[in-house]
Amino acid sequence: MCSPQEFNMNTAGTRMVTRSWSRGPGVGPRGSGEEAAPLPRGKSAAEGRKSHHPVKRQRKAQRLKVAYEASGGEKGEGIKVPSWEPQDWQQQLANIRTMRSEKDAPVDQLGAEHCYDPSVPPKVRRYQVLLSLMLSSQTKDQVTAGAMQRLRARGLTVDDILKTDDSTLGTLIYPVGFWRSKVKYIKQTSAILQQKYGGDIPASVAELVALPGVGPKMAHLAMAVAWGTVSGIAVDTHVHRIANRLRWTRKVTKSPEQTRAALEDWLPRDLWHEVNGLLVGFGQQICLPVRPRCQTCLNQTLCPSAQGL
Ligand code: SF4
């Protein structure tokens, strides 16, 4: 399993986008192999939302600031004021923060983004982040963490993986979900990273999703964890399910990608990274896929789905 000191790059390292789209700590300019200076600590989103009612004005101000700051970024959008937002979402989010305050869900300690080796050079760390994300789809965090530990024990760089035969790689990552396909994708992606990116990973969502076996959720998490850039909301099955149960999407959405677009339409950008970790852990512990624990959920009276489950 991952050691506690390894858990720091993600939460401390991710910052909302700044004018220069700064890198997070533990990562350097692409291809430089150098550490970037840690970004100054800002006030957290949670700190900024203790009171619920001057919020309309607060949120407008935040949105303006973030939209301006993001003008040279991944999406390049201008100032955007949503035409719709879900009723009670701020109270529901505050309740989820309270329920998640112990940070004791599997994702908090074993999530794929926590399983890189902090002692290796930045570009190798970034590769390990991407690899752990590739392993994590359809796989429990504990299983991903175990596979990453076995891979790291042998050395986990692009070159190491390309030198490993498929059968050995399969043995090392088993029993992650779809391990046979993942062997193929990891090899193909590693070859591209070696040829095209000098063993590093690309620093844009478009280039990341072009890699075999890398989907939008992985790409947005890789941008946040490996590059310190919040490029979009990473929506997995938990985020997709809970967003629909809470009616955080204007209409019912059929896929995580639809959910991502629906959430990005109204959710303030400074919450995009936080909401992934909050909802994934909430989905692991309380808002379970089957038989959610509505009796113990602080959102029971605010949740449109509580009665029907
Ligand atoms: S009340 Fe039930 S369905 Fe609604 S958010 Fe809570 S656990 Fe999930």
Side-chain angles (χ1 to χ4, degrees):
M1 298 302 146
C2 307
S3 59
Q5 69 268 26
E6 295 169 39
F7 300 159
N8 297 334
M9 183 162 117
N10 180 33
T11 49
T14 303
R15 294 286 179 275
M16 282 313 302
V17 184
T18 66
R19 282 170 201 179
S20 59
W21 286 74
S22 307
R23 310 296 192 202
V27 293
R30 181 169 143 190
S32 71
E34 291 171 6
E35 295 283 348
L39 294 170
R41 282 183 182 277
K43 201 173 178 185
S44 73
E47 285 172 322
R49 283 177 175 65
K50 280 186 179 144
S51 100
H52 297 294
H53 281 297
V55 274
K56 275 208 165 153
R57 179 174 294 190
Q58 265 182 5
R59 278 193 7 253
K60 272 185 186 165
Q62 283 166 343
R63 208 171 280 130
L64 266 172
K65 177 167 175 272
V66 170
Y68 171 71
E69 287 178 346
S71 61
E74 184 76 22
K75 293 201 152 191
E77 74 256 47
I79 295 168
K80 187 174 158 189
V81 177
S83 57
W84 174 89
E85 64 181 17
Q87 201 181 357
D88 299 324
W89 73 269
Q90 299 197 50
Q91 186 57 52
Q92 291 165 335
L93 183 65
N95 288 340
I96 293 170
R97 282 199 187 104
T98 302
M99 290 184 274
R100 293 277 289 115
S101 58
E102 297 295 317
K103 297 263 180 273
D104 54 359
V107 70
D108 298 313
Q109 298 192 336
L110 300 170
E113 66 270 41
H114 300 306
C115 292
Y116 62 90
D117 180 352
S119 68
V120 297
K123 77 174 186 181
V124 180
R125 277 184 244 169
R126 290 189 283 266
Y127 173 64
Q128 294 185 358
V129 168
L130 182 64
L131 211 69
S132 66
L133 289 166
M134 292 176 74
L135 292 174
S136 71
S137 80
Q138 307 287 317
T139 303
K140 286 190 183 308
D141 291 332
Q142 294 88 332
V143 175
T144 302
M148 283 298 291
Q149 193 177 42
R150 290 189 293 279
L151 290 169
R152 282 172 44 187
R154 289 170 52 99
L156 186 48
T157 65
V158 165
D159 289 343
D160 293 329
I161 289 295
L162 291 175
K163 280 185 215 146
T164 305
D165 64 75
D166 288 5
S167 154
T168 305
L169 186 54
T171 306
L172 288 165
I173 69 171
Y174 181 85
V176 300
F178 302 100
W179 62 273
R180 285 188 183 85
S181 302
K182 287 179 185 174
V183 165
K184 188 176 74 181
Y185 291 142
I186 287 169
K187 281 291 190 71
Q188 290 172 345
T189 285
S190 298
I192 293 169
L193 296 180
Q194 187 187 58
Q195 288 157 16
K196 209 168 157 187
Y197 300 98
D200 206 339
I201 70 170
S204 74
V205 170
E207 289 170 292
L208 284 163
V209 296
L211 297 168
V214 178
K217 179 203 81 170
M218 296 175 213
H220 289 301
L221 278 174
M223 289 298 293
V225 178
W227 291 113
T229 296
V230 177
S231 54
I233 301 174
V235 176
D236 73 345
T237 175
H238 294 294
V239 179
H240 173 60
R241 178 181 72 253
I242 296 165
N244 276 279
R245 283 179 178 171
L246 289 171
R247 308 284 191 269
W248 280 10
T249 59
R250 200 168 186 170
K251 297 179 192 157
V252 173
T253 52
K254 301 260 189 278
S255 68
E257 265 305 274
Q258 283 182 6
T259 303
R260 182 183 61 76
L263 291 175
E264 287 179 2
D265 244 12
W266 64 266
L267 187 71
R269 199 176 174 118
D270 61 343
L271 299 175
W272 285 9
H273 185 63
E274 182 196 11
V275 82
N276 170 268
L278 275 180
L279 295 191
V280 171
F282 182 53
Q284 290 175 332
Q285 294 184 307
I286 297 173
C287 196
L288 307 173
V290 179
R291 287 194 283 279
R293 297 178 178 144
C294 301
Q295 315 307 330
T296 61
C297 179
L298 296 179
N299 281 330
Q300 195 182 9
T301 58
L302 294 174
C303 175
S305 305
Q307 300 302 320
L309 291 166

